[in-house]
Amino acid sequence: MALFYQHNINQDTKLGIWRIEEPESFFLEKVPLKRDVSHPFKRLQHLAGRYLLAYLFPDFPLQEIRIADTRQPYLAGDRYHFSISHCGSYAAAIVSANSRVGVDIELITPRIERVAHKFLDDEEIHFFNDDYAQFLEQWGLRGRVFQEFLTLIWNAKEAIFKWYGRGELDFRRHMKLEGSLNLDGDWIKLPFVFAKGRKIHLTVEGRIFEEHSLTLAWVLT
């Protein structure tokens, strides 16, 4: 088995990351393949994500997963709330018996600096390009660490998007980092304001797996 990481958030909520090392046949022993996923590697990611759901909660009803018009998977009746994400050879999932959840996992690459303007609003761009960048430059950390934190913000907004679950969100306008990032053990707490209709204050938790060039973020309410 290739469980890379597991975090039991509370009694009813678990998070996991699976490193995909197995052939498709391994996952098909337990996971029904209902979607028409033609690309072999994307099919592996698809299967691994669902396998992880049942690994975290053995009674998870994989056969009952449905796909919404927004392309988000869900369970009718909300027996479990869940979210899945994939990147490279990794799949991540969060499952909760009683909380709305969202998760996102990403590989850290220099490309994040070129696309940051697409998901950061003007105040966030100012913080990362001016205040935060100057701080990092003082310690000689501008390059890699800067990319890690930009990726973590993208993670957080993707996790919020999945938590919301209804699509039609503007990543620059509806989700804004508001406040300081706080370190809590291995996790970084990111305070966000979600403003689609009424404002909701959310705390997204993120982690950087530096040795594997990965970042991950999750949110629950």
Side-chain angles (χ1 to χ4, degrees), residues 14 56 68 77 102 116 132 137 168 188-189 191:
K14 297 179 182 179
L56 295 173
Y132 186 62
E137 284 173 355
E168 298 183 356
I188 301 167
K189 293 183 179 293

Side-chain angles (χ1 to χ4, degrees), residues 29-182:
E29 290 181 4
K30 292 189 176 181
V31 180
L33 183 60
K34 292 186 177 180
R35 273 181 51 188
D36 181 18
V37 185
S38 58
H39 191 282
F41 190 70
K42 290 187 178 298
R43 192 163 58 240
L44 260 182
Q45 290 179 323
H46 170 85
L47 291 168
R50 280 153 175 73
Y51 185 93
L52 184 53
L53 296 174
Y55 184 91
L56 295 173
F57 283 89
D59 65 340
F60 191 99
L62 294 174
Q63 297 83 356
E64 298 176 20
I65 293 177
R66 303 289 181 266
I67 304 298
D69 293 340
T70 58
R71 301 177 65 86
Q72 293 272 79
Y74 72 98
L75 289 177
D78 291 334
R79 177 176 170 186
Y80 282 112
H81 303 272
F82 69 98
S83 177
I84 304 172
S85 181
H86 320 95
C87 72
S89 296
Y90 295 89
I94 186 171
V95 186
S96 181
N98 56 19
S99 300
R100 288 175 56 191
V101 292
V103 71
D104 186 65
I105 188 169
E106 299 288 342
L107 291 171
I108 303 163
T109 71
R111 180 178 178 273
I112 194 68
E113 293 192 59
R114 300 195 298 272
V115 300
H117 66 281
K118 295 183 179 180
F119 64 90
L120 299 180
D121 79 345
D122 292 342
E123 291 182 7
E124 291 170 327
I125 288 174
H126 173 77
F127 173 74
F128 277 96
N129 283 348
D130 297 324
D131 300 342
Y132 186 62
Q134 289 176 14
F135 169 78
L136 291 176
E137 284 173 355
Q138 290 176 3
W139 296 93
L141 298 173
R142 164 72 189 207
R144 182 64 173 179
V145 175
F146 188 61
Q147 292 164 13
E148 290 173 351
F149 276 88
L150 281 179
T151 307
L152 200 58
I153 298 303
W154 170 252
N155 274 147
K157 294 195 176 189
E158 275 285 336
I160 293 171
F161 177 82
K162 294 175 181 179
W163 162 87
Y164 179 64
R166 301 174 191 171
E168 298 183 356
L169 288 183
D170 185 321
F171 277 41
R172 300 180 76 241
R173 185 160 54 94
H174 294 139
M175 298 173 268
K176 295 185 180 181
L177 183 66
E178 189 171 280
S180 301
L181 282 61
N182 296 304

